[in-house]
């Protein structure tokens, strides 16, 4: 594993001029404005016969601006300035036009697009060129790296009592002060990377470089992070590099008209349970895309680190489907491990640790892969923390299956303290997985329907509410005390 990582790193140094240059590709790929006002465009579409840029700027002429073919499936286009001004105005719509191998013309959103919006009368998202005359300038430095995290896991869209999708502005004004007052020192944001299907909670990403426009503009998000930093709050992004949406009109799928491009072709390229596409982590350009993606979120938006979603799915060819992990070492070492994906995670953590050592990375891994949270130099995965995913499952199992008098304290304490030596864990009683995804919150498990009728301060506590509130507090207290080196709670 380490030799695979080392060889990748060495190849990047020799072929791309170093990891720093390689992971800055978000400044050259996609559509970027040059200092003289001109526009430089670059795409990777190895299966395309020809590539063009169309949009409001050229009256949607699909052939007036052809890209020039480069080596290794890359294409570039330089549009000179017009009287010192950009030929593609801020806020105008664009599409990459791909002539596929079968001759079909495909209108695609660039994988590197920074802003995509959906009109209310449309199903698909549109790519909007985001290049404001004056972008948001961060005023506050990032907080110093925390020794212990108290994480408030949150979703901007549902952070309001109103029956609508809430905004970055609402979160900045109404939620951040609450997070600060409650004593949290870190906020973890779900569903920021653009996703067409809102009910996926951000886990079916369509545009990896675009902050979701349903909550506001990129500058609104930058301001939100800046205000959090002014309060001394660390801000983490829930990053989804484990899979991608199957959408092709407004997603990565079939970008160049082929089944592969960013993904494995055929059976290996589709996740059976999630109905989504799986990245080919051995591919050079996929590494460029994903590593540059992480760097963009750190440097453009000033995120202080990442919670990597679906790490278990990445680590194994079986994606953890129908597999129980007992802790036997044969489960973690063998041909069933996807070493290309593991190598990508090692590269990602090495890059973050080298270029931005103040940043934090967290792995969502249910399997318990050994050394995932040990330094890459030791042959580990390089993560700082892993989520203690057995703990919330244990609480729900106890509440569902046992009477109060049958709770086994020895078993509870064992579950809370059963973790790999010298790997840091984030303990939690419930996260969005328990509270949203096909289940109920702990409070609803404990009190259910009486929550609606018997929680008034004007009436005496019923036995159900009394028991529920006490257990709710005690579950959180013992989880906080014994479960790990840091703590997480889902909003609300």
């Amino acid at each position: 594993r380490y030799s695979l990582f080392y060889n990748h790193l060495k190849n990047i140094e020799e072929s791309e001029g170093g990891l720093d240059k390689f992971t800055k590709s978000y400044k050259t790929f996609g559509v970027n404005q040059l200092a003289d006002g001109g526009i430089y465009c670059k795409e990777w579409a190895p299966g395309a016969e020809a590539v063009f840029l169309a949009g409001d700027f050229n009256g949607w002429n699909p052939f007036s601006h052809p890209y020039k073919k480069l080596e290794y499936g890359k294409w570039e286009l330089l549009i000179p300035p017009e009287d010192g001004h950009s030929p593609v105005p801020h806020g105008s719509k664009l599409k990459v036009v791909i002539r596929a191998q079968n001759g079909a013309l495909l209108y695609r959103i660039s994988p590197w697009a920074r802003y995509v919006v959906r009109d209310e009368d449309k199903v698909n998202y549109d790519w909007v060129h985001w290049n404001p005359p004056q972008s948001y300038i961060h005023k506050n430095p990032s907080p110093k790296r925390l020794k212990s995290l108290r994480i408030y896991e949150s979703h901007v869209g549902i952070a309001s009592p109103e029956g609508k999708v809430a905004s970055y502005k609402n979160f900045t004004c109404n939620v951040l002060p609450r997070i600060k007052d409650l004593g949290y020192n870190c906020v973890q944001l779900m569903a920021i990377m653009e996703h067409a299907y809102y009910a996926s909670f951000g886990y079916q990403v369509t545009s990896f470089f675009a902050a979701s426009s349903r909550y506001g503009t990129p500058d609104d998000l930058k301001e939100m992070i800046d205000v959090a930093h002014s309060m001394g709050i660390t801000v983490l992004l829930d990053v989804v590099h484990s899979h991608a949406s199957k959408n092709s009109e407004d997603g990565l799928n079939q970008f160049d008209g082929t089944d592969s491009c960013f993904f494995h072709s055929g059976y290996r390229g589709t996740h059976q349970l999630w109905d989504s596409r799986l990245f080919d982590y051995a591919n050079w350009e996929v590494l460029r895309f994903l590593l540059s993606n992480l760097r963009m979120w750190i440097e453009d938006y000033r995120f202080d680190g990442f919670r990597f979603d679906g790490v278990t799915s990445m680590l194994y060819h079986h994606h953890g489907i129908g597999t129980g992990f007992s802790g036997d070492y044969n489960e973690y070492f063998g041909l069933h491990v996807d070493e290309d994906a593991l190598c990508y995670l090692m590269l990602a953590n090495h890059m973050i640790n080298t270029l931005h050592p103040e940043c934090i990375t967290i792995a969502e891994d249910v399997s318990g892969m050994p050394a995932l949270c040990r330094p890459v130099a030791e042959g580990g995965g390089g993560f700082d923390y892993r989520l203690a995913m057995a703990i919330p499952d244990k609480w729900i199992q106890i509440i569902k299956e046992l009477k109060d008098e049958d709770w086994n304290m020895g078993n509870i304490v064992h579950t809370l303290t059963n973790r790999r030596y010298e790997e840091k864990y984030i303990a939690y009683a419930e996260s969005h997985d328990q509270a949203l995804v096909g289940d109920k919150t702990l409070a609803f498990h404990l009190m259910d329907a009486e929550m609606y009728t018997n929680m008034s301060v004007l009436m005496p506590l019923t036995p159900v509410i009394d028991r529920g509130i006490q257990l709710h507090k005690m579950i959180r207290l013992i989880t906080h005390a014994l479960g790990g080196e840091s703590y997480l709670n889902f909003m609300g």
Side-chain angles (χ1 to χ4, degrees):
R1 296 173 182 195
Y2 185 79
S3 66
L4 190 65
F5 157 78
Y6 179 79
N7 288 336
H8 269 75
L9 200 59
K10 190 178 170 189
N11 289 339
I12 289 169
E13 296 288 339
E14 291 171 357
S15 306
E16 297 282 349
L19 196 61
D20 181 25
K21 189 177 176 186
F22 184 60
T23 57
K24 262 189 192 160
S25 296
Y26 70 92
K27 294 188 174 182
T28 52
F29 278 75
V31 172
N32 292 280
Q33 184 156 326
L34 302 173
D36 65 0
I39 293 285
Y40 180 71
C41 313
K42 195 172 185 180
E43 297 295 346
W44 177 62
E49 289 292 314
V51 180
F52 309 90
L53 188 69
D56 294 337
F57 78 100
N58 66 358
W60 290 97
N61 184 331
F63 306 118
S64 64
H65 287 75
Y67 284 67
K68 187 177 85 176
K69 190 169 188 177
L70 305 174
E71 284 186 303
Y72 310 117
K74 298 193 190 81
W75 303 78
E76 72 172 2
L77 166 65
L78 180 63
I79 311 174
E82 296 174 358
D83 302 324
H85 297 289
S86 171
V88 182
H90 165 63
S92 60
K93 291 182 179 178
L94 294 170
K95 279 282 171 76
V96 174
V97 183
I98 305 275
R99 183 187 286 135
Q101 290 169 355
N102 62 3
L105 278 188
L106 308 171
Y107 285 78
R108 296 287 190 247
I109 292 174
S110 169
W112 304 79
R114 297 295 192 86
Y115 190 53
V116 295
V117 300
R118 186 176 67 83
D119 296 332
E120 285 189 14
D121 58 337
K122 287 189 177 178
V123 174
N124 293 327
Y125 275 74
D126 289 316
W127 171 22
V128 173
H129 181 53
W130 184 260
N131 185 32
Q134 182 59 57
S135 192
Y136 184 84
I137 297 168
H138 292 266
K139 303 173 189 68
N140 301 286
S142 297
K144 287 187 177 175
R145 188 184 171 98
L146 297 165
K147 288 183 179 175
S148 183
L149 304 170
R150 301 288 176 271
I151 302 171
Y152 188 88
E153 184 188 32
S154 50
H155 183 298
V156 171
I158 61 175
S160 164
E162 297 177 72
K164 65 177 187 180
V165 177
S167 66
Y168 296 124
K169 294 275 188 189
N170 165 73
F171 201 93
T172 305
C173 299
N174 300 322
V175 186
L176 284 177
R178 174 183 169 83
I179 293 170
K180 178 69 175 172
D181 291 345
L182 287 170
Y184 293 92
N185 59 15
C186 179
V187 58
Q188 181 177 298
L189 297 170
M190 299 170 60
I192 295 296
M193 299 163 80
E194 190 60 273
H195 48 292
Y197 181 44
Y198 185 56
S200 75
F201 299 110
Y203 293 113
Q204 292 274 346
V205 176
T206 44
S207 290
F208 284 76
F209 285 81
S212 182
S213 60
R214 51 172 61 84
Y215 319 125
T217 67
D219 283 1
D220 291 343
L221 175 58
K222 289 177 183 178
E223 181 187 31
M224 186 179 109
I225 294 168
D226 196 26
V227 171
H229 287 165
S230 75
M231 298 176 177
I233 296 171
T234 294
V235 186
L236 304 180
L237 174 66
D238 198 339
V239 74
V240 187
H241 282 181
S242 46
H243 64 131
S245 167
K246 261 190 172 175
N247 288 19
S248 55
E249 294 288 324
D250 52 9
L252 275 187
N253 192 21
Q254 298 181 347
F255 172 66
D256 64 353
T258 69
D259 182 39
S260 51
C261 200
F262 288 92
F263 310 109
H264 290 289
S265 60
Y267 177 80
R268 193 180 169 191
T270 304
H271 196 292
Q272 288 173 286
L273 290 185
W274 297 344
D275 193 32
S276 52
R277 297 303 312 272
L278 295 168
F279 287 105
D280 179 2
Y281 300 103
N283 189 299
W284 191 263
E285 294 303 319
V286 171
L287 290 178
R288 182 198 304 278
F289 180 78
L290 295 176
L291 292 171
S292 298
N293 186 232
L294 296 173
R295 190 141 180 216
M296 188 278 298
W297 288 112
I298 296 171
E299 295 181 352
D300 259 24
Y301 287 90
R302 301 284 181 89
F303 277 99
D304 303 303
F306 305 101
R307 176 257 197 198
F308 280 75
D309 176 70
V311 168
T312 306
S313 174
M314 297 171 72
L315 289 175
Y316 309 97
H317 292 298
H318 55 61
H319 309 300
I321 298 170
T323 308
F325 293 93
S326 65
D328 187 297
Y329 278 84
N330 291 319
E331 295 166 353
Y332 309 112
F333 302 96
L335 295 177
H336 54 285
V337 175
D338 189 339
E339 291 191 334
D340 293 325
L342 181 55
C343 180
Y344 160 66
L345 292 171
M346 292 169 77
L347 280 168
N349 282 309
H350 174 75
M351 177 200 76
I352 293 166
N353 201 37
T354 305
L355 301 175
H356 294 281
E358 72 284 0
C359 285
I360 296 160
T361 59
I362 302 166
E364 188 215 19
D365 170 40
V366 75
S367 75
M369 169 67 79
L372 193 63
C373 301
R374 295 302 299 164
V376 172
E378 293 180 7
F383 285 97
D384 296 302
Y385 295 90
R386 72 197 313 158
L387 292 173
M389 299 182 75
I391 295 173
D393 292 345
K394 173 58 72 173
W395 289 126
I396 286 173
Q397 180 209 351
I398 288 171
I399 291 167
K400 279 182 175 176
E401 297 177 7
L402 299 179
K403 296 177 184 175
D404 290 2
E405 57 268 31
D406 294 334
W407 287 32
N408 183 328
M409 284 308 294
N411 182 252
I412 291 170
V413 170
H414 171 74
T415 303
L416 287 167
T417 57
N418 180 26
R419 49 187 181 269
R420 294 202 179 278
Y421 180 63
E422 288 201 340
E423 293 195 50
K424 291 181 181 175
Y425 280 64
I426 293 172
Y428 60 105
E430 60 188 337
S431 71
H432 73 270
D433 281 324
Q434 288 72 37
L436 294 177
V437 187
D439 206 343
K440 298 193 288 192
T441 63
L442 280 178
F444 267 101
H445 273 299
L446 289 164
M447 296 174 277
D448 215 25
E450 289 206 23
M451 296 254 294
Y452 294 110
T453 54
N454 296 324
M455 290 197 78
S456 169
V457 292
L458 303 176
M459 58 192 290
L461 289 172
T462 65
V464 170
I465 296 296
D466 193 23
R467 167 187 176 269
I469 288 174
Q470 306 313 322
L471 282 176
H472 201 263
K473 288 179 177 178
M474 286 193 284
I475 284 169
R476 276 166 162 67
L477 175 63
I478 194 170
T479 300
H480 198 300
L482 293 180
E485 287 69 28
S486 293
Y487 178 75
L488 176 144
N489 191 25
F490 184 58
M491 64 189 303

